[in-house]
mmCIF file of all heavy atoms in Angstrom:
data_model
loop_
_atom_site.group_PDB
_atom_site.id
_atom_site.type_symbol
_atom_site.label_atom_id
_atom_site.label_comp_id
_atom_site.label_asym_id
_atom_site.label_seq_id
_atom_site.Cartn_x
_atom_site.Cartn_y
_atom_site.Cartn_z
ATOM 1 N N THR V 5 6.807 17.890 -1.495
ATOM 2 C CA THR V 5 6.143 16.935 -0.622
ATOM 3 C C THR V 5 6.446 15.471 -1.079
ATOM 4 O O THR V 5 6.858 15.253 -2.207
ATOM 5 C CB THR V 5 4.615 17.097 -0.623
ATOM 6 O OG1 THR V 5 4.155 17.197 -1.974
ATOM 7 C CG2 THR V 5 4.262 18.389 0.095
ATOM 8 N N VAL V 6 6.258 14.557 -0.154
ATOM 9 C CA VAL V 6 6.629 13.160 -0.450
ATOM 10 C C VAL V 6 5.825 12.611 -1.674
ATOM 11 O O VAL V 6 6.309 11.787 -2.390
ATOM 12 C CB VAL V 6 6.481 12.256 0.820
ATOM 13 C CG1 VAL V 6 5.008 12.049 1.200
ATOM 14 C CG2 VAL V 6 7.210 10.948 0.635
ATOM 15 N N THR V 7 4.619 13.106 -1.756
ATOM 16 C CA THR V 7 3.810 12.695 -2.921
ATOM 17 C C THR V 7 2.842 13.828 -3.331
ATOM 18 O O THR V 7 2.745 14.836 -2.643
ATOM 19 C CB THR V 7 3.015 11.394 -2.611
ATOM 20 O OG1 THR V 7 2.395 10.939 -3.847
ATOM 21 C CG2 THR V 7 1.973 11.524 -1.538
ATOM 22 N N SER V 8 2.221 13.629 -4.434
ATOM 23 C CA SER V 8 1.256 14.607 -4.933
ATOM 24 C C SER V 8 0.204 13.802 -5.697
ATOM 25 O O SER V 8 0.526 12.918 -6.478
ATOM 26 C CB SER V 8 1.997 15.576 -5.904
ATOM 27 O OG SER V 8 1.098 16.521 -6.406
ATOM 28 N N PRO V 9 -1.061 14.074 -5.445
ATOM 29 C CA PRO V 9 -2.109 13.204 -6.016
ATOM 30 C C PRO V 9 -2.200 13.317 -7.520
ATOM 31 O O PRO V 9 -2.130 14.430 -8.104
ATOM 32 C CB PRO V 9 -3.368 13.685 -5.328
ATOM 33 C CG PRO V 9 -3.109 15.060 -4.825
ATOM 34 C CD PRO V 9 -1.654 15.175 -4.622
ATOM 35 N N ASN V 58 -12.086 2.662 1.202
ATOM 36 C CA ASN V 58 -10.706 2.929 1.515
ATOM 37 C C ASN V 58 -9.965 1.629 1.528
ATOM 38 O O ASN V 58 -10.521 0.609 1.171
ATOM 39 C CB ASN V 58 -10.595 3.675 2.879
ATOM 40 C CG ASN V 58 -11.227 2.883 4.022
ATOM 41 O OD1 ASN V 58 -10.986 1.667 4.165
ATOM 42 N ND2 ASN V 58 -12.061 3.559 4.769
ATOM 43 N N GLY V 59 -8.679 1.685 1.905
ATOM 44 C CA GLY V 59 -7.859 0.442 1.879
ATOM 45 C C GLY V 59 -7.842 -0.325 3.217
ATOM 46 O O GLY V 59 -7.256 -1.405 3.296
ATOM 47 N N THR V 60 -8.485 0.238 4.240
ATOM 48 C CA THR V 60 -8.531 -0.426 5.535
ATOM 49 C C THR V 60 -9.702 -1.409 5.622
ATOM 50 O O THR V 60 -9.547 -2.533 6.117
ATOM 51 C CB THR V 60 -8.630 0.636 6.662
ATOM 52 O OG1 THR V 60 -7.536 1.551 6.488
ATOM 53 C CG2 THR V 60 -8.536 0.034 8.058
ATOM 54 N N LEU V 63 -9.349 -4.933 4.205
ATOM 55 C CA LEU V 63 -8.535 -5.827 5.093
ATOM 56 C C LEU V 63 -9.439 -6.403 6.161
ATOM 57 O O LEU V 63 -9.406 -7.587 6.433
ATOM 58 C CB LEU V 63 -7.430 -4.982 5.763
ATOM 59 C CG LEU V 63 -6.196 -4.682 4.939
ATOM 60 C CD1 LEU V 63 -5.288 -3.720 5.700
ATOM 61 C CD2 LEU V 63 -5.406 -5.944 4.598
ATOM 62 N N SER V 82 4.967 -1.656 8.295
ATOM 63 C CA SER V 82 3.875 -1.289 7.414
ATOM 64 C C SER V 82 3.154 -0.055 8.020
ATOM 65 O O SER V 82 3.527 0.384 9.091
ATOM 66 C CB SER V 82 2.899 -2.485 7.298
ATOM 67 O OG SER V 82 1.794 -2.083 6.449
ATOM 68 N N PHE V 83 2.148 0.391 7.337
ATOM 69 C CA PHE V 83 1.280 1.442 7.896
ATOM 70 C C PHE V 83 0.411 0.754 8.928
ATOM 71 O O PHE V 83 0.010 -0.431 8.776
ATOM 72 C CB PHE V 83 0.443 2.029 6.781
ATOM 73 C CG PHE V 83 -0.372 3.247 7.204
ATOM 74 C CD1 PHE V 83 0.264 4.405 7.659
ATOM 75 C CD2 PHE V 83 -1.744 3.241 7.093
ATOM 76 C CE1 PHE V 83 -0.516 5.484 8.048
ATOM 77 C CE2 PHE V 83 -2.515 4.331 7.436
ATOM 78 C CZ PHE V 83 -1.859 5.486 7.956
ATOM 79 N N ALA V 85 -2.549 0.597 9.722
ATOM 80 C CA ALA V 85 -3.846 -0.002 9.326
ATOM 81 C C ALA V 85 -3.807 -1.532 9.176
ATOM 82 O O ALA V 85 -4.767 -2.233 9.444
ATOM 83 C CB ALA V 85 -4.373 0.619 8.028
ATOM 84 N N THR V 86 -2.621 -2.048 8.770
ATOM 85 C CA THR V 86 -2.501 -3.486 8.556
ATOM 86 C C THR V 86 -2.823 -4.221 9.864
ATOM 87 O O THR V 86 -3.647 -5.160 9.873
ATOM 88 C CB THR V 86 -1.062 -3.830 8.104
ATOM 89 O OG1 THR V 86 -0.657 -2.955 7.067
ATOM 90 C CG2 THR V 86 -0.935 -5.278 7.657
ATOM 91 N N VAL V 128 2.655 -7.850 3.641
ATOM 92 C CA VAL V 128 2.449 -6.576 2.966
ATOM 93 C C VAL V 128 3.510 -6.474 1.869
ATOM 94 O O VAL V 128 4.707 -6.690 2.129
ATOM 95 C CB VAL V 128 2.630 -5.389 3.950
ATOM 96 C CG1 VAL V 128 2.428 -4.058 3.211
ATOM 97 C CG2 VAL V 128 1.647 -5.486 5.081
ATOM 98 N N ASP V 154 -1.864 -7.568 2.084
ATOM 99 C CA ASP V 154 -2.093 -6.135 2.101
ATOM 100 C C ASP V 154 -1.276 -5.552 0.917
ATOM 101 O O ASP V 154 -0.057 -5.426 1.075
ATOM 102 C CB ASP V 154 -1.734 -5.531 3.437
ATOM 103 C CG ASP V 154 -1.957 -3.996 3.457
ATOM 104 O OD1 ASP V 154 -2.111 -3.385 2.360
ATOM 105 O OD2 ASP V 154 -1.966 -3.431 4.571
ATOM 106 N N ALA V 156 -1.737 -2.673 -0.503
ATOM 107 C CA ALA V 156 -2.073 -1.221 -0.597
ATOM 108 C C ALA V 156 -1.109 -0.445 -1.518
ATOM 109 O O ALA V 156 -1.486 0.510 -2.163
ATOM 110 C CB ALA V 156 -2.063 -0.610 0.795
ATOM 111 N N HIS V 157 0.156 -0.904 -1.534
ATOM 112 C CA HIS V 157 1.194 -0.188 -2.279
ATOM 113 C C HIS V 157 1.436 -0.834 -3.674
ATOM 114 O O HIS V 157 2.285 -0.294 -4.396
ATOM 115 C CB HIS V 157 2.517 -0.167 -1.548
ATOM 116 C CG HIS V 157 2.503 0.368 -0.178
ATOM 117 N ND1 HIS V 157 3.534 0.243 0.720
ATOM 118 C CD2 HIS V 157 1.504 1.065 0.489
ATOM 119 C CE1 HIS V 157 3.186 0.836 1.877
ATOM 120 N NE2 HIS V 157 2.024 1.316 1.729
ATOM 121 N N SER V 178 -5.215 0.051 -1.630
ATOM 122 C CA SER V 178 -5.669 1.354 -1.148
ATOM 123 C C SER V 178 -5.605 2.308 -2.337
ATOM 124 O O SER V 178 -4.589 2.357 -3.094
ATOM 125 C CB SER V 178 -4.754 1.902 -0.097
ATOM 126 O OG SER V 178 -4.993 3.282 0.103
ATOM 127 N N PHE V 179 -6.703 3.122 -2.514
ATOM 128 C CA PHE V 179 -6.690 4.130 -3.574
ATOM 129 C C PHE V 179 -6.721 5.513 -2.896
ATOM 130 O O PHE V 179 -7.399 6.443 -3.356
ATOM 131 C CB PHE V 179 -7.896 3.977 -4.487
ATOM 132 C CG PHE V 179 -8.005 2.668 -5.225
ATOM 133 C CD1 PHE V 179 -9.215 2.151 -5.595
ATOM 134 C CD2 PHE V 179 -6.857 1.912 -5.482
ATOM 135 C CE1 PHE V 179 -9.341 0.940 -6.290
ATOM 136 C CE2 PHE V 179 -6.948 0.673 -6.152
ATOM 137 C CZ PHE V 179 -8.190 0.210 -6.538
ATOM 138 N N HIS V 180 -5.980 5.623 -1.779
ATOM 139 C CA HIS V 180 -5.938 6.915 -1.075
ATOM 140 C C HIS V 180 -5.190 7.951 -1.922
ATOM 141 O O HIS V 180 -4.328 7.572 -2.762
ATOM 142 C CB HIS V 180 -5.201 6.724 0.266
ATOM 143 C CG HIS V 180 -5.166 7.960 1.085
ATOM 144 N ND1 HIS V 180 -4.009 8.711 1.162
ATOM 145 C CD2 HIS V 180 -6.098 8.588 1.825
ATOM 146 C CE1 HIS V 180 -4.301 9.768 1.958
ATOM 147 N NE2 HIS V 180 -5.520 9.730 2.338
ATOM 148 N N ALA V 181 -5.491 9.221 -1.663
ATOM 149 C CA ALA V 181 -4.853 10.325 -2.442
ATOM 150 C C ALA V 181 -3.345 10.205 -2.556
ATOM 151 O O ALA V 181 -2.767 10.670 -3.538
ATOM 152 C CB ALA V 181 -5.190 11.620 -1.757
ATOM 153 N N THR V 182 -2.725 9.581 -1.592
ATOM 154 C CA THR V 182 -1.247 9.514 -1.566
ATOM 155 C C THR V 182 -0.693 8.378 -2.389
ATOM 156 O O THR V 182 0.514 8.187 -2.453
ATOM 157 C CB THR V 182 -0.748 9.406 -0.127
ATOM 158 O OG1 THR V 182 -1.369 8.253 0.488
ATOM 159 C CG2 THR V 182 -1.025 10.659 0.711
ATOM 160 N N LYS V 183 -1.572 7.564 -2.972
ATOM 161 C CA LYS V 183 -1.080 6.370 -3.720
ATOM 162 C C LYS V 183 -0.891 6.609 -5.193
ATOM 163 O O LYS V 183 -1.380 7.639 -5.745
ATOM 164 C CB LYS V 183 -2.136 5.233 -3.516
ATOM 165 C CG LYS V 183 -2.342 4.835 -2.034
ATOM 166 C CD LYS V 183 -1.087 4.172 -1.506
ATOM 167 C CE LYS V 183 -1.317 3.579 -0.127
ATOM 168 N NZ LYS V 183 -1.562 4.518 0.947
ATOM 169 N N GLU V 189 -10.346 9.051 -1.595
ATOM 170 C CA GLU V 189 -10.276 7.933 -0.653
ATOM 171 C C GLU V 189 -10.816 6.738 -1.436
ATOM 172 O O GLU V 189 -11.642 6.919 -2.364
ATOM 173 C CB GLU V 189 -11.231 8.127 0.565
ATOM 174 C CG GLU V 189 -10.820 9.275 1.489
ATOM 175 C CD GLU V 189 -9.779 8.853 2.530
ATOM 176 O OE1 GLU V 189 -9.506 7.671 2.642
ATOM 177 O OE2 GLU V 189 -9.277 9.719 3.267
ATOM 178 N N GLY V 190 -10.345 5.577 -1.153
ATOM 179 C CA GLY V 190 -10.869 4.421 -1.879
ATOM 180 C C GLY V 190 -9.997 3.187 -1.669
ATOM 181 O O GLY V 190 -8.914 3.296 -1.112
ATOM 182 N N TYR V 281 7.092 4.384 -3.881
ATOM 183 C CA TYR V 281 7.911 5.084 -2.871
ATOM 184 C C TYR V 281 9.358 4.938 -3.282
ATOM 185 O O TYR V 281 9.747 4.027 -4.006
ATOM 186 C CB TYR V 281 7.731 4.402 -1.479
ATOM 187 C CG TYR V 281 6.306 4.506 -0.959
ATOM 188 C CD1 TYR V 281 5.366 3.608 -1.280
ATOM 189 C CD2 TYR V 281 5.993 5.544 -0.037
ATOM 190 C CE1 TYR V 281 4.057 3.691 -0.769
ATOM 191 C CE2 TYR V 281 4.738 5.634 0.477
ATOM 192 C CZ TYR V 281 3.776 4.707 0.118
ATOM 193 O OH TYR V 281 2.475 4.807 0.609
ATOM 194 N N ARG V 310 9.478 11.456 4.049
ATOM 195 C CA ARG V 310 8.739 10.886 5.245
ATOM 196 C C ARG V 310 9.488 9.626 5.756
ATOM 197 O O ARG V 310 10.096 8.952 4.967
ATOM 198 C CB ARG V 310 7.322 10.530 4.865
ATOM 199 C CG ARG V 310 6.431 11.751 4.609
ATOM 200 C CD ARG V 310 6.171 12.603 5.834
ATOM 201 N NE ARG V 310 5.313 11.936 6.745
ATOM 202 C CZ ARG V 310 3.987 12.096 6.743
ATOM 203 N NH1 ARG V 310 3.415 12.909 5.914
ATOM 204 N NH2 ARG V 310 3.232 11.424 7.648
ATOM 205 N N TYR V 312 8.526 6.717 6.497
ATOM 206 C CA TYR V 312 7.644 5.515 6.392
ATOM 207 C C TYR V 312 8.572 4.311 6.438
ATOM 208 O O TYR V 312 9.476 4.224 5.563
ATOM 209 C CB TYR V 312 6.899 5.468 5.075
ATOM 210 C CG TYR V 312 5.912 6.579 4.847
ATOM 211 C CD1 TYR V 312 5.851 7.257 3.639
ATOM 212 C CD2 TYR V 312 4.978 6.954 5.816
ATOM 213 C CE1 TYR V 312 4.928 8.241 3.385
ATOM 214 C CE2 TYR V 312 4.033 7.991 5.592
ATOM 215 C CZ TYR V 312 4.034 8.626 4.379
ATOM 216 O OH TYR V 312 3.103 9.623 4.157
ATOM 217 N N PHE V 313 8.568 3.335 7.402
ATOM 218 C CA PHE V 313 7.557 3.145 8.374
ATOM 219 C C PHE V 313 8.210 3.115 9.749
ATOM 220 O O PHE V 313 8.582 2.058 10.242
ATOM 221 C CB PHE V 313 6.798 1.835 8.084
ATOM 222 C CG PHE V 313 5.890 2.072 6.885
ATOM 223 C CD1 PHE V 313 6.284 1.618 5.612
ATOM 224 C CD2 PHE V 313 4.674 2.738 7.003
ATOM 225 C CE1 PHE V 313 5.476 1.865 4.543
ATOM 226 C CE2 PHE V 313 3.862 2.935 5.935
ATOM 227 C CZ PHE V 313 4.253 2.504 4.679
HETATM 228 N N1 LIG G 401 -2.083 -0.782 4.253
HETATM 229 C C1 LIG G 401 -0.962 -0.066 3.963
HETATM 230 C C2 LIG G 401 0.317 -0.823 3.732
HETATM 231 C C3 LIG G 401 -1.032 1.318 3.810
HETATM 232 O O1 LIG G 401 0.083 2.022 3.528
HETATM 233 C C4 LIG G 401 -2.262 2.011 4.027
HETATM 234 C C5 LIG G 401 -2.355 3.423 3.914
HETATM 235 C C6 LIG G 401 -3.367 1.191 4.322
HETATM 236 C C7 LIG G 401 -3.255 -0.185 4.456
HETATM 237 C C8 LIG G 401 -4.739 1.801 4.544
HETATM 238 O O2 LIG G 401 -5.264 2.363 3.355
HETATM 239 P P1 LIG G 401 -6.323 3.594 3.509
HETATM 240 O O3 LIG G 401 -7.367 3.168 4.440
HETATM 241 O O4 LIG G 401 -5.533 4.828 3.940
HETATM 242 O O5 LIG G 401 -6.799 3.758 2.077
HETATM 243 C C9 LIG G 401 -0.836 8.289 4.304
HETATM 244 C C10 LIG G 401 -2.189 7.809 3.905
HETATM 245 O O6 LIG G 401 -3.263 8.465 4.598
HETATM 246 C C11 LIG G 401 -2.373 6.331 3.989
HETATM 247 O O7 LIG G 401 -3.378 6.011 3.032
HETATM 248 C C12 LIG G 401 -1.134 5.582 3.599
HETATM 249 N N2 LIG G 401 -1.290 4.108 3.789
HETATM 250 C C13 LIG G 401 0.032 6.043 4.464
HETATM 251 C C14 LIG G 401 1.328 5.293 4.102
HETATM 252 O O8 LIG G 401 0.234 7.414 4.192
HETATM 253 P P2 LIG G 401 -0.065 10.231 5.947
HETATM 254 O O9 LIG G 401 -0.739 10.629 7.225
HETATM 255 O O10 LIG G 401 1.380 10.016 5.934
HETATM 256 O O11 LIG G 401 -0.427 11.263 4.748
HETATM 257 P P3 LIG G 401 -0.387 12.840 4.741
HETATM 258 O O12 LIG G 401 -1.721 13.399 4.908
HETATM 259 O O13 LIG G 401 0.676 13.305 5.714
HETATM 260 O O14 LIG G 401 0.097 13.097 3.267
HETATM 261 C C15 LIG G 401 1.443 12.910 2.835
HETATM 262 C C16 LIG G 401 1.784 13.951 1.772
HETATM 263 O O15 LIG G 401 0.979 13.750 0.604
HETATM 264 C C17 LIG G 401 1.465 15.402 2.190
HETATM 265 O O16 LIG G 401 2.623 15.976 2.775
HETATM 266 C C18 LIG G 401 1.213 16.066 0.856
HETATM 267 C C19 LIG G 401 0.640 14.971 0.022
HETATM 268 N N3 LIG G 401 -0.821 15.073 -0.082
HETATM 269 C C20 LIG G 401 -1.615 14.379 0.766
HETATM 270 C C21 LIG G 401 -2.966 14.469 0.707
HETATM 271 C C22 LIG G 401 -3.852 13.759 1.696
HETATM 272 C C23 LIG G 401 -1.373 15.911 -1.056
HETATM 273 O O17 LIG G 401 -0.648 16.539 -1.820
HETATM 274 N N4 LIG G 401 -2.730 15.923 -1.145
HETATM 275 C C24 LIG G 401 -3.567 15.290 -0.301
HETATM 276 O O18 LIG G 401 -4.805 15.369 -0.445
HETATM 277 O O19 LIG G 401 -0.849 8.869 5.587
#
Side-chain angles (χ1 to χ4, degrees):
T5 50
V6 71
T7 187
S8 180
N58 58 49
T60 305
L63 281 171
S82 179
F83 188 61
T86 312
V128 179
D154 180 342
H157 304 169
S178 165
F179 301 153
H180 183 258
T182 54
K183 299 294 189 291
E189 293 275 354
Y281 296 84
R310 290 294 288 268
Y312 296 134
F313 287 98

